[in-house]
Amino acid sequence: MPETVLPEGAAVADAPIPPAPDDVHTRVIDWFAEAARDLPWRRPECTPWGVLVSEIMLQQTPVVRVLPRWEEWLHRWPTPAACAAAPSAEILTVWDRLGYPRRALRLQAAAEAIVERHDGEVPADPEALRALPGIGEYTAAAVSCFAFGIPEVVVDTNIRRAHARIFTGVALPGQTYTAAQRRLARDLMPDTDDDGGRRACAWNAATMELGALICTARSPQCAICPVADLCAWRAAGSPPPTEEQKTRGQAWAGTDRQVRGAIMAVLRRGEPVQAETLLAGLPLPEAEDDQRRRCLDSLVRDGLAERRGDIVALPGVLGG
DNA sequence: AATTCGGGGAA
DNA sequence: TTCCCAGAATT
């Protein structure tokens, strides 16, 4: 804020005027109709289970890496019941290197809960979805909206960024999902009175796609953006992100996540191995013995590995 | 509100 | 190297 005191009622020069939501709705939804990617979990024949699997896999993992794993997963386990009945080791193997393998176990646990609590059918109610393992606020809303057409407020990282630029006029939304951002997203939802929520769901999907394809984090394609002339961030001169808005990079080299990942890569080969051989053979010369052992222990605690005596394997393969 | 939890491809 | 990706669970 400048030190200068402005006249009463005068607009602050830097404060962008947010566009009318209705105008943005029409532009973005029309753009989506012609520019949307043909993703398999968007096809009309995709089941709610297929949508649910895609949403879990897409948590922090890019679309291009999810695609082949999703196809394999749905081919093997076309229903929650089939997934629930699978060996956990197979679950983790098919998950492969999507990352955060606890998601795979939680997805199977969700499938089990769906069989037990919902007669094997993915629930449409967002509260019922939210109660399933691995399903939080975003995923519950997304499944409810994309699989069942229920006009929930869907807010992912793409939508937060698009909202921040178009309506708030800042480069990036910041690291944490604030109450103000949640309120903004809710206020921006199209009316559901007329069409029962069809337009609201289209708005969710379209805004997400806009953030993924046009309004990207690094170099947004404003030249081909359907709302460039309405965008508050553009109107403000496309100011760069502040230090507060920048995401502080997560360290990777030397972290437990790296060591755990290296251990899981070995276990995914399928053969039980000696703990000492496994830990000594990790391609991480920097890692101390203490860290290697700690990470293996944590994997066992997380149910991602099983240990009997000196032998370690994926869960279930060591038998009773 | 801050941390932890994988992994890879592009800037 | 750093950044970013359809987040969730835990503290």
Side-chain angles (χ1 to χ4, degrees):
Chain A
M1 287 292 286
E3 297 290 335
T4 313
V5 176
L6 294 168
E8 222 21 67
V12 177
D14 289 350
I17 301 171
D22 280 346
D23 295 339
V24 180
H25 292 159
T26 302
R27 295 273 193 95
V28 176
I29 290 171
D30 288 351
W31 166 83
F32 182 70
E34 68 176 46
R37 291 168 291 180
D38 178 27
L39 301 174
W41 44 85
R42 286 179 177 163
R43 294 194 294 249
E45 67 269 23
C46 182
T47 62
W49 169 243
V51 174
L52 173 52
V53 172
S54 79
E55 293 299 344
I56 300 291
M57 289 183 169
L58 287 164
Q59 291 168 1
Q60 299 292 283
T61 303
V63 166
V64 286
R65 289 176 51 200
V66 164
L67 280 168
R69 296 298 90 207
W70 184 89
E71 296 283 1
E72 173 70 8
W73 195 282
L74 268 294
H75 179 257
R76 283 188 185 235
W77 307 304
T79 64
C83 177
S88 292
E90 197 175 336
I91 292 286
L92 292 170
T93 302
V94 173
W95 189 264
D96 196 34
R97 290 173 296 178
L98 283 182
Y100 298 139
R102 294 191 293 193
R103 288 184 296 164
L105 295 185
R106 287 176 183 151
L107 176 54
Q108 184 177 37
E112 292 167 0
I114 289 168
V115 169
E116 292 174 9
R117 311 208 283 255
H118 303 288
D119 199 28
E121 300 293 327
V122 175
D125 173 26
E127 288 187 29
L129 287 162
R130 181 65 183 79
L132 298 173
I135 297 190
E137 178 178 351
Y138 160 76
T139 304
V143 172
S144 195
C145 181
F146 301 146
F148 297 101
I150 297 174
E152 287 296 304
V153 182
V154 177
V155 184
D156 77 324
T157 183
N158 288 313
I159 291 177
R160 286 209 303 137
R161 186 175 55 251
H163 288 174
R165 289 187 181 144
I166 300 170
F167 295 100
T168 311
V170 296
L172 292 172
Q175 309 89 320
T176 53
Y177 182 34
T178 65
Q181 290 172 17
R182 185 180 288 102
R183 182 167 57 252
L184 173 62
R186 179 167 296 282
D187 292 343
L188 289 172
M189 288 292 283
D191 281 331
T192 59
D193 303 333
D194 316 318
D195 62 356
R198 187 179 301 270
R199 185 173 173 81
C201 283
W203 166 244
N204 284 332
T207 308
M208 194 176 307
E209 191 76 338
L210 187 75
L213 298 183
I214 304 292
C215 198
T216 55
R218 244 170 282 179
S219 46
Q221 305 297 304
C222 301
I224 57 174
C225 178
V227 294
D229 60 319
L230 304 177
C231 179
W233 181 55
R234 294 268 296 173
S238 304
T242 65
E243 288 303 316
E244 186 71 13
Q245 291 164 351
K246 290 181 182 175
T247 65
R248 43 175 173 275
Q250 307 176 58
W252 170 244
T255 61
D256 284 2
R257 282 191 356 268
Q258 185 186 32
V259 175
R260 284 164 56 104
I263 294 173
M264 289 302 294
V266 174
L267 296 182
R268 258 189 253 105
R269 301 199 290 237
E271 299 298 327
V273 294
Q274 285 228 351
E276 295 309 315
T277 307
L278 165 63
L279 296 183
L282 298 178
L284 300 170
E286 306 292 312
E288 304 288 343
D289 290 351
D290 179 52
Q291 184 184 27
R292 297 169 197 251
R293 279 186 266 101
R294 177 159 46 81
C295 286
L296 177 55
D297 289 343
S298 74
L299 288 171
V300 172
R301 277 198 304 278
D302 290 344
L304 290 163
E306 191 175 56
R307 179 172 191 170
R308 183 146 46 94
D310 290 345
I311 306 300
V312 182
L314 290 177
V317 312
L318 294 181

